[in-house]
């Protein structure tokens, strides 16, 4: 025990406590000592093999899978809806139509989004000049540096910028959309009996659930195979998860969109079962959506 403590694999939370594995100890266990998944994980895999989208809506399926993961592991489960990588804005077309302004956002050869704005009469003469300015800035900088907007285009630029900001907020809200289950089960874990530890996690689930996912969510692998990762304690970039562990895997759809399946709980978790369960759910989603 002393040797393990000297190597940083065990730690003593406080003076009167016994020794428990440290973050480094759990990492060694996951990397080198992880056993084969148990019967529960194998049973889950058999259950999932019979799932189909024929008789259920996709969101209902995600909720069913999230609840099953939470029931099996006693951990918080998260499943994100598949999202395509956000393409770079290539061009903007402004088309006046009476009292309306149609804004076409070109983000790829086959991806165009349209916005329909009210066009004040005083701004109408600015539209063709504003479009030329946008074209030159996208070619020169790849973006829209609004601080460089000429003063005579200020009103039209303000209208367009407000519309683009609103559109971006809407898309960000869609990106945050996730299905979660099992938060109540964490209350039974001794590590989360203190509200000071549980509160930051609850706030993230309610307000910014995507931050519970690790970088795998933002750096998709280019291969068709499942990507997976396990973050332990402070390995995770989100400070609120400094006392937690995250087991995560991605799934892909036929059109290239990517979603995530994750389990979140204390560092003291059944990693083999959690990893196998997350992989099983990601695999079945990829099969159903390919």
């Amino acid at each position: 025990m002393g040797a393990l403590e000297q190597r940083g694999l065990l730690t003593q939370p406080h003076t009167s406590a016994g020794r428990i594995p440290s973050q480094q100890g759990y990492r060694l266990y996951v990397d080198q000592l992880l056993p084969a998944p148990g019967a529960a994980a194998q049973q889950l895999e058999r259950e999932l093999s019979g799932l189909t989208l024929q008789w259920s809506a996709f969101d209902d399926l995600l909720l069913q899978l999230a609840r099953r993961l939470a029931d099996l592991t006693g951990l918080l489960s998260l499943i994100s809806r598949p999202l395509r990588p956000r393409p770079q804005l290539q061009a903007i077309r402004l088309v006046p139509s009476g009292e309306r302004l149609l804004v076409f956002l070109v983000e790829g050869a086959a991806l165009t989004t349209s916005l329909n704005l009210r066009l004040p009469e005083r701004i109408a003469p600015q539209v063709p000049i504003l479009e030329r300015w946008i074209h030159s800035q996208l070619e020169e900088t790849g973006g829209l540096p609004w601080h460089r907007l000429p003063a005579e285009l200020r009103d039209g630029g303000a209208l367009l910028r407000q519309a683009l900001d609103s559109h971006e907020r809407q898309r960000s809200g869609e990106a945050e959309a996730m299905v979660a289950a099992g938060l109540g089960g964490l209350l039974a874990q001794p590590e989360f009996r203190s509200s000071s530890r549980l509160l930051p996690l609850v706030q993230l689930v309610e307000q910014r659930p995507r931050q519970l996912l690790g970088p795998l969510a933002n750096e998709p692998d280019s291969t068709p195979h499942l990507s997976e990762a396990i973050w332990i304690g402070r390995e995770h970039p989100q400070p609120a998860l400094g006392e937690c562990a995250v087991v995560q895997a991605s799934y892909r759809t036929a059109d290239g969109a990517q979603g995530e399946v994750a389990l979140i709980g204390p560092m003291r978790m059944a990693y083999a079962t959690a990893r196998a369960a997350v992989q099983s759910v990601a695999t079945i989603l990829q099969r159903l959506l390919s």
Side-chain angles (χ1 to χ4, degrees):
M1 296 287 284
L4 292 175
E5 190 170 4
Q6 288 180 356
R7 293 180 56 188
L9 302 178
L10 294 180
T11 185
Q12 188 176 21
H14 48 83
T15 306
S16 60
R19 270 63 172 177
I20 61 173
S22 64
Q23 176 180 314
Q24 182 181 346
Y26 281 117
R27 171 51 61 191
L28 177 67
Y29 171 75
V30 167
D31 290 346
Q32 301 182 24
L33 304 173
L34 203 63
Q42 296 171 5
Q43 174 61 29
L44 175 65
E45 187 172 0
R46 288 191 292 269
E47 290 178 19
L48 297 182
S49 64
L51 281 180
T52 175
L53 280 173
Q54 184 176 5
W55 305 112
S56 62
F58 182 59
D59 283 356
D60 292 339
L61 175 65
L62 293 186
L63 183 57
Q64 176 186 347
L65 291 173
R67 287 174 173 169
R68 187 67 185 92
L69 275 176
D71 291 342
L72 174 70
T73 63
L75 304 173
L76 170 64
S77 66
L78 288 175
I79 305 180
S80 69
R81 296 174 181 84
L83 293 174
R84 295 180 184 86
R86 185 169 300 174
Q88 184 177 1
L89 183 63
Q90 297 181 5
I92 295 180
R93 299 287 182 262
L94 305 180
V95 182
S97 178
E99 297 182 348
R100 311 298 299 180
L101 176 64
L102 303 180
V103 181
F104 296 94
L105 309 177
V106 182
E107 298 176 312
L111 181 57
T112 301
T113 304
S114 62
L115 308 176
N116 191 331
L117 313 179
R118 188 180 69 84
L119 180 61
E121 185 177 350
R122 72 180 190 282
I123 294 179
Q126 300 179 18
V127 170
I129 307 172
L130 180 60
E131 185 177 56
R132 288 196 295 271
W133 179 84
I134 290 171
H135 177 72
S136 66
Q137 296 304 314
L138 288 175
E139 279 199 339
E140 180 182 342
T141 69
L144 294 177
W146 294 106
H147 65 280
R148 296 170 58 176
L149 185 71
E152 62 269 21
L153 300 177
R154 190 169 299 159
D155 291 343
L159 173 69
L160 181 60
R161 185 178 184 181
Q162 183 179 8
L164 293 177
D165 288 345
S166 176
H167 177 63
E168 185 64 25
R169 286 194 297 271
Q170 180 180 355
R171 291 210 304 191
S172 297
E174 293 173 354
E176 286 288 347
M178 304 184 74
V179 175
L183 185 59
L186 291 184
L187 295 173
Q189 306 284 355
E191 290 86 349
F192 296 106
R193 287 175 183 168
S194 169
S195 59
S196 62
R197 285 190 175 184
L198 189 61
L199 182 59
L201 187 58
V202 173
Q203 290 175 334
L204 282 179
V205 173
E206 292 180 345
Q207 301 170 13
R208 299 184 303 279
R210 201 159 191 86
Q211 292 191 15
L212 294 165
L213 301 176
L216 184 65
N218 302 316
E219 299 177 9
D221 193 334
S222 59
T223 71
H225 304 293
L226 294 178
S227 300
E228 61 169 331
I230 296 176
W231 288 272
I232 301 175
R234 291 181 298 277
E235 295 174 355
H236 198 283
Q238 172 54 246
L241 296 176
E243 300 295 327
C244 301
V246 178
V247 179
Q248 183 178 331
S250 67
Y251 66 93
R252 295 177 184 278
T253 65
D255 61 357
Q258 178 173 306
E260 309 294 331
V261 181
L263 284 168
I264 301 166
M267 286 188 280
R268 176 197 52 82
M269 71 161 65
Y271 286 97
T273 297
R275 183 184 185 188
V278 163
Q279 289 177 337
S280 294
V281 170
T283 299
I284 190 63
L285 284 172
Q286 183 155 305
R287 179 178 66 79
L288 292 175
L289 299 173
S290 296

